[in-house]
Amino acid sequence: MAARSLWAVRWRLQRLLASSASSCGRGWLHPFSTATQRTTGEDCNSEDPPDELGPSLAERALRLKAVKLEKEVQDLTVRYQRAVADSENIRRQTQRCVEDAKIFGIQSFCKDLVEVADILEKTTEYISGETEPGDQKLTLEKVFRGLSLLEAKLKSVFAKHGLEKMTPIGDKYDPHEHELICHVPAGVGVQPGTVALVKQDGYKLQGRIIRLARVEVAVESQRRL
């Protein structure tokens, strides 16, 4: 009896040991073991840092980006203000140059005309100072010499500045260069449709007409218009 009881106890002990070994091999842990408590604690503590660090990094990145954009805006604003100031200065300088050109554009021409005025003034003084009363012939000669000198000087000034007198006698009538006063019968050697007589000379400045020549044009008809 005792032997059977001992064998039964020994058999139960072996089964218990076998069952314990099988549980350890499968990795089963007691619910209240230290390993289970440590693993659970680590999992709970590991979830907190991402929630705290995530928003902080995003906010820091947004702040850096905002500072960079604000700096770019300030730089562009300064460059824009400088460009506007430079444009305004150029506009003022251009306007001043245009005004100066309007005022002093004929300065050289006026300077040459002053010399013509000097000749006319000296001629008048010479005639009035040295002419004896009753000597009309001498007076006319002095007037003629003064006027001839004045005309030569005027022609020189005109040529210097590109001012050209038009002499269209015998030319074909051109409404762009001639102002028609009337028609006259064509004489000997005068072709109909050409300028027969110039009443007032026309002028060109550097090839551009500044005054039309007032002319009479020859026609075949005897009737004057």
Side-chain angles (χ1 to χ4, degrees):
M1 246 348 240
R4 185 178 293 179
S5 298
L6 181 61
W7 180 83
V9 171
R10 191 176 289 177
W11 179 78
R12 291 178 180 176
L13 182 60
Q14 289 177 355
R15 289 188 63 182
L16 181 62
L17 291 173
S19 177
S20 299
S22 176
S23 299
C24 291
R26 294 176 182 176
W28 292 353
L29 296 176
H30 193 274
F32 300 101
S33 65
T34 305
T36 303
Q37 292 177 359
R38 184 170 60 252
T39 303
T40 305
E42 290 177 356
D43 294 341
C44 294
N45 292 333
S46 64
E47 294 177 357
D48 294 336
D51 294 339
E52 295 178 358
L53 295 178
S56 177
L57 293 175
E59 183 179 358
R60 190 174 300 175
L62 288 175
R63 288 180 180 178
L64 291 175
K65 188 174 182 180
V67 171
K68 183 179 179 181
L69 291 175
E70 184 177 359
K71 185 176 180 181
E72 291 180 358
V73 170
Q74 292 178 354
D75 182 55
L76 291 174
T77 302
V78 172
R79 292 171 61 184
Y80 171 75
Q81 292 175 350
R82 290 178 180 175
V84 171
D86 293 340
S87 177
E88 182 64 19
N89 291 334
I90 293 175
R91 187 189 67 81
R92 291 178 180 177
Q93 292 177 359
T94 303
Q95 184 177 3
R96 189 180 302 111
C97 291
V98 171
E99 292 176 353
D100 291 342
K102 290 180 180 179
I103 297 174
F104 301 104
I106 59 173
Q107 181 177 358
S108 178
F109 184 71
C110 292
K111 183 179 179 181
D112 293 334
L113 285 182
V114 169
E115 297 180 4
V116 176
D118 292 340
I119 295 174
L120 181 61
E121 183 178 358
K122 291 180 179 179
T123 302
T124 304
E125 292 177 354
Y126 177 75
I127 294 174
S128 61
E130 296 187 4
T131 303
E132 298 180 358
D135 194 351
Q136 296 181 356
K137 183 178 179 180
L138 181 60
T139 302
L140 292 176
E141 289 177 356
K142 292 181 178 179
V143 170
F144 178 77
R145 287 198 300 268
L147 292 177
S148 299
L149 183 61
L150 184 61
E151 183 183 12
K153 184 61 179 178
L154 273 176
K155 289 181 178 180
S156 175
V157 171
F158 289 169
K160 178 180 178 181
H161 294 277
L163 186 61
E164 178 186 0
K165 182 172 70 172
M166 296 187 297
T167 54
I169 295 180
D171 294 343
K172 186 176 181 180
Y173 170 72
D174 185 353
H176 299 290
E177 295 184 358
H178 310 143
E179 179 184 351
L180 178 61
I181 299 177
C182 65
H183 290 97
V184 295
V188 179
V190 178
Q191 295 294 327
T194 60
V195 177
L197 183 65
V198 177
K199 289 292 186 179
Q200 187 180 57
D201 294 327
Y203 282 90
K204 292 181 180 180
L205 178 61
Q206 301 295 342
R208 179 183 297 180
I209 297 175
I210 61 175
R211 191 177 79 176
L212 298 175
R214 303 185 66 187
V215 300
E216 296 180 0
V217 180
V219 292
E220 294 180 356
S221 176
Q222 297 297 323
R223 183 181 61 183
R224 300 189 58 167
L225 301 180

